[in-house]
mmCIF file of all heavy atoms in Angstrom:
data_model
loop_
_atom_site.group_PDB
_atom_site.id
_atom_site.type_symbol
_atom_site.label_atom_id
_atom_site.label_comp_id
_atom_site.label_asym_id
_atom_site.label_seq_id
_atom_site.Cartn_x
_atom_site.Cartn_y
_atom_site.Cartn_z
ATOM 1 N N GLU A 1 -9.911 16.754 0.370
ATOM 2 C CA GLU A 1 -10.447 18.133 0.558
ATOM 3 C C GLU A 1 -11.980 18.008 0.840
ATOM 4 O O GLU A 1 -12.536 18.896 1.614
ATOM 5 C CB GLU A 1 -10.203 19.031 -0.683
ATOM 6 C CG GLU A 1 -8.728 19.224 -0.857
ATOM 7 C CD GLU A 1 -8.485 20.136 -2.208
ATOM 8 O OE1 GLU A 1 -9.539 20.482 -2.767
ATOM 9 O OE2 GLU A 1 -7.322 20.330 -2.390
ATOM 10 N N GLY A 2 -12.651 16.960 0.268
ATOM 11 C CA GLY A 2 -14.069 16.915 0.369
ATOM 12 C C GLY A 2 -14.411 15.790 1.383
ATOM 13 O O GLY A 2 -15.630 15.684 1.753
ATOM 14 N N LEU A 3 -13.519 14.824 1.580
ATOM 15 C CA LEU A 3 -13.850 13.616 2.449
ATOM 16 C C LEU A 3 -13.032 13.555 3.736
ATOM 17 O O LEU A 3 -13.439 12.632 4.594
ATOM 18 C CB LEU A 3 -13.537 12.326 1.648
ATOM 19 C CG LEU A 3 -14.318 12.196 0.294
ATOM 20 C CD1 LEU A 3 -13.748 11.095 -0.497
ATOM 21 C CD2 LEU A 3 -15.804 11.919 0.616
ATOM 22 N N GLY A 4 -12.148 14.482 4.008
ATOM 23 C CA GLY A 4 -11.490 14.508 5.250
ATOM 24 C C GLY A 4 -12.488 14.493 6.453
ATOM 25 O O GLY A 4 -13.347 15.343 6.491
ATOM 26 N N GLY A 5 -12.079 13.508 7.420
ATOM 27 C CA GLY A 5 -12.958 13.516 8.680
ATOM 28 C C GLY A 5 -14.302 12.774 8.523
ATOM 29 O O GLY A 5 -15.018 12.578 9.533
ATOM 30 N N SER A 6 -14.582 12.377 7.310
ATOM 31 C CA SER A 6 -15.954 11.605 7.110
ATOM 32 C C SER A 6 -15.695 10.046 7.170
ATOM 33 O O SER A 6 -14.572 9.562 7.174
ATOM 34 C CB SER A 6 -16.528 11.912 5.732
ATOM 35 O OG SER A 6 -15.633 11.404 4.658
ATOM 36 N N GLU A 7 -16.744 9.277 7.225
ATOM 37 C CA GLU A 7 -16.695 7.828 7.289
ATOM 38 C C GLU A 7 -16.175 7.414 5.920
ATOM 39 O O GLU A 7 -15.404 6.486 5.923
ATOM 40 C CB GLU A 7 -18.056 7.254 7.567
ATOM 41 C CG GLU A 7 -18.031 5.723 7.608
ATOM 42 C CD GLU A 7 -17.041 5.172 8.604
ATOM 43 O OE1 GLU A 7 -16.933 5.770 9.756
ATOM 44 O OE2 GLU A 7 -16.363 4.131 8.347
ATOM 45 N N ALA A 8 -16.526 8.061 4.843
ATOM 46 C CA ALA A 8 -16.173 7.607 3.510
ATOM 47 C C ALA A 8 -14.589 7.907 3.514
ATOM 48 O O ALA A 8 -13.745 7.038 2.861
ATOM 49 C CB ALA A 8 -16.728 8.462 2.405
ATOM 50 N N GLY A 9 -14.103 9.015 4.085
ATOM 51 C CA GLY A 9 -12.699 9.288 4.104
ATOM 52 C C GLY A 9 -11.961 8.251 4.878
ATOM 53 O O GLY A 9 -10.797 7.786 4.548
ATOM 54 N N ALA A 10 -12.500 7.815 6.001
ATOM 55 C CA ALA A 10 -11.922 6.885 6.868
ATOM 56 C C ALA A 10 -11.722 5.460 6.227
ATOM 57 O O ALA A 10 -10.656 4.829 6.253
ATOM 58 C CB ALA A 10 -12.739 6.629 8.162
ATOM 59 N N GLU A 11 -12.718 5.111 5.346
ATOM 60 C CA GLU A 11 -12.661 3.867 4.548
ATOM 61 C C GLU A 11 -11.605 4.000 3.560
ATOM 62 O O GLU A 11 -10.805 3.059 3.284
ATOM 63 C CB GLU A 11 -14.056 3.674 3.830
ATOM 64 C CG GLU A 11 -14.142 2.399 3.028
ATOM 65 C CD GLU A 11 -13.817 1.066 3.755
ATOM 66 O OE1 GLU A 11 -14.076 1.010 5.040
ATOM 67 O OE2 GLU A 11 -13.208 0.244 3.137
ATOM 68 N N ILE A 12 -11.406 5.187 2.866
ATOM 69 C CA ILE A 12 -10.356 5.337 1.844
ATOM 70 C C ILE A 12 -8.969 5.285 2.584
ATOM 71 O O ILE A 12 -8.059 4.639 1.963
ATOM 72 C CB ILE A 12 -10.422 6.767 1.176
ATOM 73 C CG1 ILE A 12 -11.779 6.774 0.284
ATOM 74 C CG2 ILE A 12 -9.246 6.985 0.292
ATOM 75 C CD1 ILE A 12 -12.051 8.090 -0.311
ATOM 76 N N ALA A 13 -8.864 5.752 3.732
ATOM 77 C CA ALA A 13 -7.570 5.724 4.496
ATOM 78 C C ALA A 13 -7.257 4.220 4.764
ATOM 79 O O ALA A 13 -6.119 3.868 4.657
ATOM 80 C CB ALA A 13 -7.698 6.550 5.754
ATOM 81 N N ARG A 14 -8.255 3.462 5.260
ATOM 82 C CA ARG A 14 -7.937 2.069 5.475
ATOM 83 C C ARG A 14 -7.533 1.314 4.251
ATOM 84 O O ARG A 14 -6.569 0.553 4.194
ATOM 85 C CB ARG A 14 -9.254 1.453 6.002
ATOM 86 C CG ARG A 14 -9.578 1.787 7.528
ATOM 87 C CD ARG A 14 -10.572 0.910 8.200
ATOM 88 N NE ARG A 14 -11.926 1.177 7.552
ATOM 89 C CZ ARG A 14 -12.738 2.104 8.101
ATOM 90 N NH1 ARG A 14 -12.440 2.790 9.173
ATOM 91 N NH2 ARG A 14 -13.998 2.274 7.539
ATOM 92 N N GLU A 15 -8.233 1.627 3.118
ATOM 93 C CA GLU A 15 -7.834 0.962 1.841
ATOM 94 C C GLU A 15 -6.444 1.364 1.375
ATOM 95 O O GLU A 15 -5.690 0.493 0.911
ATOM 96 C CB GLU A 15 -8.892 1.407 0.671
ATOM 97 C CG GLU A 15 -8.599 0.741 -0.651
ATOM 98 C CD GLU A 15 -9.596 1.302 -1.634
ATOM 99 O OE1 GLU A 15 -10.593 1.899 -1.279
ATOM 100 O OE2 GLU A 15 -9.446 0.911 -2.888
ATOM 101 N N LEU A 16 -6.123 2.596 1.557
ATOM 102 C CA LEU A 16 -4.831 3.118 1.210
ATOM 103 C C LEU A 16 -3.748 2.530 1.989
ATOM 104 O O LEU A 16 -2.736 1.993 1.446
ATOM 105 C CB LEU A 16 -4.791 4.655 1.297
ATOM 106 C CG LEU A 16 -3.461 5.348 0.813
ATOM 107 C CD1 LEU A 16 -3.078 4.969 -0.553
ATOM 108 C CD2 LEU A 16 -3.681 6.870 1.011
ATOM 109 N N MET A 17 -4.021 2.448 3.350
ATOM 110 C CA MET A 17 -2.925 1.795 4.126
ATOM 111 C C MET A 17 -2.834 0.358 3.801
ATOM 112 O O MET A 17 -1.668 -0.250 3.819
ATOM 113 C CB MET A 17 -3.217 2.035 5.604
ATOM 114 C CG MET A 17 -3.123 3.413 5.974
ATOM 115 S SD MET A 17 -3.269 3.765 7.880
ATOM 116 C CE MET A 17 -4.991 3.604 7.978
ATOM 117 N N ASP A 18 -3.867 -0.421 3.629
ATOM 118 C CA ASP A 18 -3.837 -1.847 3.288
ATOM 119 C C ASP A 18 -3.090 -2.035 2.013
ATOM 120 O O ASP A 18 -2.202 -2.931 1.969
ATOM 121 C CB ASP A 18 -5.231 -2.309 3.245
ATOM 122 C CG ASP A 18 -5.291 -3.868 2.929
ATOM 123 O OD1 ASP A 18 -4.860 -4.657 3.733
ATOM 124 O OD2 ASP A 18 -5.762 -4.276 1.798
ATOM 125 N N SER A 19 -3.349 -1.220 1.046
ATOM 126 C CA SER A 19 -2.707 -1.393 -0.213
ATOM 127 C C SER A 19 -1.182 -1.118 -0.082
ATOM 128 O O SER A 19 -0.312 -1.884 -0.559
ATOM 129 C CB SER A 19 -3.213 -0.397 -1.238
ATOM 130 O OG SER A 19 -4.593 -0.651 -1.637
ATOM 131 N N VAL A 20 -0.794 -0.117 0.615
ATOM 132 C CA VAL A 20 0.637 0.300 0.851
ATOM 133 C C VAL A 20 1.304 -0.807 1.519
ATOM 134 O O VAL A 20 2.475 -1.201 1.117
ATOM 135 C CB VAL A 20 0.769 1.613 1.640
ATOM 136 C CG1 VAL A 20 2.117 1.755 2.158
ATOM 137 C CG2 VAL A 20 0.270 2.772 0.742
ATOM 138 N N ILE A 21 0.782 -1.433 2.544
ATOM 139 C CA ILE A 21 1.420 -2.547 3.318
ATOM 140 C C ILE A 21 1.659 -3.740 2.347
ATOM 141 O O ILE A 21 2.754 -4.367 2.272
ATOM 142 C CB ILE A 21 0.588 -2.973 4.458
ATOM 143 C CG1 ILE A 21 0.668 -1.811 5.569
ATOM 144 C CG2 ILE A 21 1.123 -4.238 5.127
ATOM 145 C CD1 ILE A 21 -0.339 -2.039 6.665
ATOM 146 N N LYS A 22 0.659 -4.082 1.567
ATOM 147 C CA LYS A 22 0.831 -5.076 0.506
ATOM 148 C C LYS A 22 1.896 -4.750 -0.407
ATOM 149 O O LYS A 22 2.722 -5.616 -0.897
ATOM 150 C CB LYS A 22 -0.514 -5.463 -0.094
ATOM 151 C CG LYS A 22 -1.450 -6.068 0.726
ATOM 152 C CD LYS A 22 -2.838 -6.171 0.025
ATOM 153 C CE LYS A 22 -3.886 -6.780 0.856
ATOM 154 N NZ LYS A 22 -5.193 -6.913 0.235
ATOM 155 N N TYR A 23 1.913 -3.483 -0.911
ATOM 156 C CA TYR A 23 2.933 -3.039 -1.939
ATOM 157 C C TYR A 23 4.265 -3.261 -1.331
ATOM 158 O O TYR A 23 5.183 -3.854 -1.960
ATOM 159 C CB TYR A 23 2.789 -1.541 -2.181
ATOM 160 C CG TYR A 23 1.595 -1.110 -2.956
ATOM 161 C CD1 TYR A 23 1.193 0.239 -2.923
ATOM 162 C CD2 TYR A 23 0.692 -2.035 -3.674
ATOM 163 C CE1 TYR A 23 0.069 0.569 -3.567
ATOM 164 C CE2 TYR A 23 -0.366 -1.633 -4.281
ATOM 165 C CZ TYR A 23 -0.734 -0.246 -4.268
ATOM 166 O OH TYR A 23 -1.899 0.170 -4.910
ATOM 167 N N GLN A 24 4.528 -2.875 -0.100
ATOM 168 C CA GLN A 24 5.828 -3.018 0.532
ATOM 169 C C GLN A 24 6.368 -4.371 0.546
ATOM 170 O O GLN A 24 7.492 -4.667 0.302
ATOM 171 C CB GLN A 24 5.834 -2.335 1.973
ATOM 172 C CG GLN A 24 5.738 -0.922 2.033
ATOM 173 C CD GLN A 24 6.987 -0.155 1.820
ATOM 174 O OE1 GLN A 24 7.920 -0.590 1.065
ATOM 175 N NE2 GLN A 24 7.152 1.084 2.366
ATOM 176 N N LYS A 25 5.460 -5.318 0.996
ATOM 177 C CA LYS A 25 5.856 -6.737 1.050
ATOM 178 C C LYS A 25 6.146 -7.261 -0.335
ATOM 179 O O LYS A 25 7.144 -8.056 -0.567
ATOM 180 C CB LYS A 25 4.816 -7.577 1.729
ATOM 181 C CG LYS A 25 4.550 -7.278 3.142
ATOM 182 C CD LYS A 25 3.515 -8.143 3.771
ATOM 183 C CE LYS A 25 3.362 -7.946 5.346
ATOM 184 N NZ LYS A 25 2.379 -8.895 5.873
ATOM 185 N N LEU A 26 5.355 -6.870 -1.242
ATOM 186 C CA LEU A 26 5.633 -7.328 -2.707
ATOM 187 C C LEU A 26 6.890 -6.841 -3.223
ATOM 188 O O LEU A 26 7.689 -7.532 -3.945
ATOM 189 C CB LEU A 26 4.484 -7.035 -3.597
ATOM 190 C CG LEU A 26 4.233 -7.815 -4.902
ATOM 191 C CD1 LEU A 26 4.379 -9.259 -4.713
ATOM 192 C CD2 LEU A 26 2.938 -7.449 -5.556
ATOM 193 N N ILE A 27 7.147 -5.545 -2.910
ATOM 194 C CA ILE A 27 8.436 -5.000 -3.324
ATOM 195 C C ILE A 27 9.588 -5.728 -2.764
ATOM 196 O O ILE A 27 10.645 -6.009 -3.444
ATOM 197 C CB ILE A 27 8.528 -3.481 -3.050
ATOM 198 C CG1 ILE A 27 7.498 -2.683 -3.790
ATOM 199 C CG2 ILE A 27 9.877 -2.954 -3.341
ATOM 200 C CD1 ILE A 27 7.321 -1.292 -3.291
ATOM 201 N N GLY A 28 9.396 -6.113 -1.556
ATOM 202 C CA GLY A 28 10.458 -6.872 -0.802
ATOM 203 C C GLY A 28 10.771 -8.104 -1.505
ATOM 204 O O GLY A 28 11.884 -8.574 -1.700
ATOM 205 N N ARG A 29 9.775 -8.864 -1.991
ATOM 206 C CA ARG A 29 9.975 -10.146 -2.716
ATOM 207 C C ARG A 29 10.690 -9.798 -3.959
ATOM 208 O O ARG A 29 11.616 -10.622 -4.374
ATOM 209 C CB ARG A 29 8.605 -10.730 -3.117
ATOM 210 C CG ARG A 29 7.823 -11.453 -1.872
ATOM 211 C CD ARG A 29 6.522 -11.940 -2.302
ATOM 212 N NE ARG A 29 6.455 -12.681 -3.524
ATOM 213 C CZ ARG A 29 6.615 -14.038 -3.515
ATOM 214 N NH1 ARG A 29 6.774 -14.707 -2.447
ATOM 215 N NH2 ARG A 29 6.575 -14.669 -4.631
ATOM 216 N N ILE A 30 10.327 -8.855 -4.746
ATOM 217 C CA ILE A 30 10.959 -8.525 -6.012
ATOM 218 C C ILE A 30 12.430 -8.102 -5.733
ATOM 219 O O ILE A 30 13.274 -8.572 -6.379
ATOM 220 C CB ILE A 30 10.183 -7.299 -6.692
ATOM 221 C CG1 ILE A 30 8.862 -7.744 -7.093
ATOM 222 C CG2 ILE A 30 11.033 -6.892 -7.998
ATOM 223 C CD1 ILE A 30 7.914 -6.693 -7.666
ATOM 224 N N GLU A 31 12.620 -7.438 -4.746
ATOM 225 C CA GLU A 31 14.123 -6.975 -4.408
ATOM 226 C C GLU A 31 14.913 -8.184 -4.105
ATOM 227 O O GLU A 31 16.071 -8.236 -4.545
ATOM 228 C CB GLU A 31 13.931 -5.971 -3.153
ATOM 229 C CG GLU A 31 15.312 -5.426 -2.856
ATOM 230 C CD GLU A 31 15.172 -4.414 -1.678
ATOM 231 O OE1 GLU A 31 14.329 -4.500 -0.857
ATOM 232 O OE2 GLU A 31 15.928 -3.355 -1.673
ATOM 233 N N ASN A 32 14.404 -9.087 -3.288
ATOM 234 C CA ASN A 32 15.106 -10.278 -2.904
ATOM 235 C C ASN A 32 15.391 -11.234 -4.069
ATOM 236 O O ASN A 32 16.405 -11.872 -4.067
ATOM 237 C CB ASN A 32 14.397 -11.073 -1.780
ATOM 238 C CG ASN A 32 14.497 -10.429 -0.509
ATOM 239 O OD1 ASN A 32 15.222 -9.491 -0.336
ATOM 240 N ND2 ASN A 32 13.731 -10.893 0.476
ATOM 241 N N GLY A 33 14.504 -11.167 -5.182
ATOM 242 C CA GLY A 33 14.734 -12.075 -6.243
ATOM 243 C C GLY A 33 15.262 -11.402 -7.479
ATOM 244 O O GLY A 33 15.418 -12.038 -8.611
ATOM 245 N N SER A 34 15.798 -10.200 -7.280
ATOM 246 C CA SER A 34 16.392 -9.459 -8.552
ATOM 247 C C SER A 34 17.752 -9.000 -8.151
ATOM 248 O O SER A 34 18.301 -9.241 -7.094
ATOM 249 C CB SER A 34 15.528 -8.204 -8.792
ATOM 250 O OG SER A 34 14.106 -8.623 -9.063
ATOM 251 N N GLY A 35 18.414 -8.251 -9.122
ATOM 252 C CA GLY A 35 19.681 -7.739 -8.922
ATOM 253 C C GLY A 35 19.929 -6.484 -9.800
ATOM 254 O O GLY A 35 18.995 -6.125 -10.581
ATOM 255 N N GLY A 36 21.101 -5.887 -9.674
ATOM 256 C CA GLY A 36 21.420 -4.779 -10.631
ATOM 257 C C GLY A 36 20.399 -3.651 -10.476
ATOM 258 O O GLY A 36 20.016 -3.143 -9.387
ATOM 259 N N ALA A 37 19.904 -3.093 -11.648
ATOM 260 C CA ALA A 37 19.064 -1.937 -11.724
ATOM 261 C C ALA A 37 17.723 -2.164 -11.005
ATOM 262 O O ALA A 37 17.171 -1.377 -10.406
ATOM 263 C CB ALA A 37 18.778 -1.571 -13.194
ATOM 264 N N ALA A 38 17.307 -3.451 -11.030
ATOM 265 C CA ALA A 38 16.038 -3.808 -10.452
ATOM 266 C C ALA A 38 16.040 -3.661 -8.866
ATOM 267 O O ALA A 38 15.035 -3.118 -8.279
ATOM 268 C CB ALA A 38 15.640 -5.315 -10.700
ATOM 269 N N THR A 39 17.127 -3.993 -8.334
ATOM 270 C CA THR A 39 17.395 -3.882 -6.805
ATOM 271 C C THR A 39 17.226 -2.427 -6.471
ATOM 272 O O THR A 39 16.618 -1.993 -5.479
ATOM 273 C CB THR A 39 18.677 -4.478 -6.287
ATOM 274 O OG1 THR A 39 18.688 -5.843 -6.709
ATOM 275 C CG2 THR A 39 18.793 -4.292 -4.875
#
């Protein structure tokens, strides 16, 4: 609401996307190494 369209907002967007991509890969590792309820 206060940062949309700003340079600070763009930096947050980059940080958020970078974090999410790493999260997805790490979840994939956990999924492959687990079973049952964890999967």
